[in-house]
Structure formats: structure tokens, C-alpha cells
Amino acid sequence: MRIATFVHNGKRHVGQVSADGQHVTPFALNDSQAHRGAQPIIEALVAGQALPALAGAALDMSSVKLESPLPVPRRNVWCVGRNYHAHAKELQASVFKDSNSDTKAWPIVFTKVPECVVGPTDDVQLPAAALSEQIDYEAELAVIIGRGGKNISQADAMQHVFGYTVVNDVTARDVQMRHQQWDMGKSFDTFCPMGPWIVTADEVDGRQTRVRCWVNGELRQDGPTENMIFDIPTLIETISRGITLYPGDIIATGTPAGVGMGFNPPRYIAKGDVIRVEIDGVGLIENRFV
């Protein structure tokens, strides 16, 4: 199943997307529920409740505006840095120079504030030059937690995955490196495009898919998730150590090689650039930087 959050006739809805991705049928949710996007659906299913009934006719996708499937995340987005071998190598002398040189020791984990989340086709706002001129892209598969828990084992971790979505972990590189933690350089307003929907875990296995990113039509990133240094069960086990994960929590799992900072000279995002991120079996997002 694919669950989308969208606006139709000025009102937010949550709906089920057709198999071909061309139509979406709203669920019977009240305005308060729909405000939270797919969150009430996730919570209901995890609690063993029935899926809300579908209400009304299927809408052509061209008649709606897709939003992030979780437009108001319940808390910060969990993110993983340095999780593909080639990406670890391309930034070893910059972003990762002060990190543990043993890439297999522990995952690097940081967060992005909920307010930076925007939709799959929304514009991303470039900051003033005085704030940063080193804006970069990172195409990522995001895991959506279903059943929550603490101290989840690798063996049980996949039972806690509700589904997957697509994320661009936009980054101000100079701000990221200026501070001893990454959150500020990762959390500028609009720096987390997400979507186009959530695909449930019974339709796709995030451990065996492919992440790609194009900048103005040029393929920059292309990596199978099998190349992750730390796989999805390991990430869930690590992040849940002493910390309770809740239904709807988001974990962005890291980016393949090919980010702008990895080029010589770096190829940072410029005004007017269009960045497309696509993940096999999940979907695609495409955002203009303005």
C-alpha cells in the first residue's frame, strides 16, 4: 500500500495511492487527523485497528498537490551520516576528518528538526550568502517506524518497519563543519524534502533497493542499499539503544557517493537548480532550489 498526504481544493487529505500511482482516494479522516498526515494511519494500524474507510471517488494525481506524507513529524528526523563506503571515502578529508577512522565502528547519528520538512515538489529556499554558499544534496532512503520500542535487536528490527519514503538531506556544508554537531547545518527551513508517499514494508524491502539523484538532469548519485555500511536492522538497533522509538518516527539511512562536496572543485547547489531523487519501488521527489 502507498499512503499519501495531499491538498485538494485547499484542504489537506490523506489517501491510498493506486498501484500505478495515477490516482489517490481519500481516507475518511477528520481535519484534526488529516493535519498530521499519515501519522494517524500508522498509529491505528500498529494498534491493530482497521484501516479507515475510503471516502469519495479516486482523484487524478494531476488534480492534487502532494505534501510530505508526514508533514508535521512528531519529533526530529533521525539521520545517519557516512553510511555508504564510497561516500565515506569522498568526504574523508572534510566532513569526516574528525570522525572515528574505523567506518565500521558505530553509525554517525544526528537529527534534523521537524520544521525543515517540506513536500516532494516544494521549492527549497537557499539561504542568504552571508549564512552559507555551500548548499549540498544527499539522496536518501527513509525508514518509517511502525511498532515502537526500545533496545530493539537486529533480529527483530524489520518487524518495527512500517514502510519507506524518499528524502533529500539538504546540507549547508560550511555550517555543518563549523559546529561540533551537525544539526544546525542540516536543519535550515525547507532542508528536508520528503515524499512522494509512504510505501508499506510488504511492498518493498529497503535492504534491497537503489538510490539515485539527478542535478539538472545529470546523474550524480547511484547506489544500491546493499552497499550500506550499517544495514537497516543495525540502524534501528543502534538508535533504539536506551531510546524509545515511536510509530511514525523517521530514520534517513545515509547517502551514496556523488554529493556536491565530493567533487574537485565542489559542485554546490545554485539558484534555479532542480534536484530529483528516486528510489526503486518507493518513488521520486523533485525540488527546485530558489
Side-chain angles (χ1 to χ4, degrees), residues 33-46:
Q33 292 171 319
H35 173 73
R36 301 169 65 212
Q39 184 73 36
I41 306 292
I42 298 170
E43 292 174 353
L45 293 178
V46 167

Side-chain angles (χ1 to χ4, degrees), residues 14-29:
V14 184
Q16 182 172 332
V17 179
S18 61
D20 63 5
Q22 299 302 305
H23 298 87
V24 59
T25 306
F27 290 114
L29 300 177

Side-chain angles (χ1 to χ4, degrees), residues 5 28 34-35 43 92-93 126 128 133 141 144 152 157 171 188 206 236 277-278 286:
T5 301
H35 173 73
E43 292 174 353
Q92 64 183 354
L126 290 171
E133 293 184 291
L141 172 73
I144 309 300
I152 300 167
T171 306
F188 283 25
I236 293 173
V277 179
E278 184 169 359
E286 185 170 278

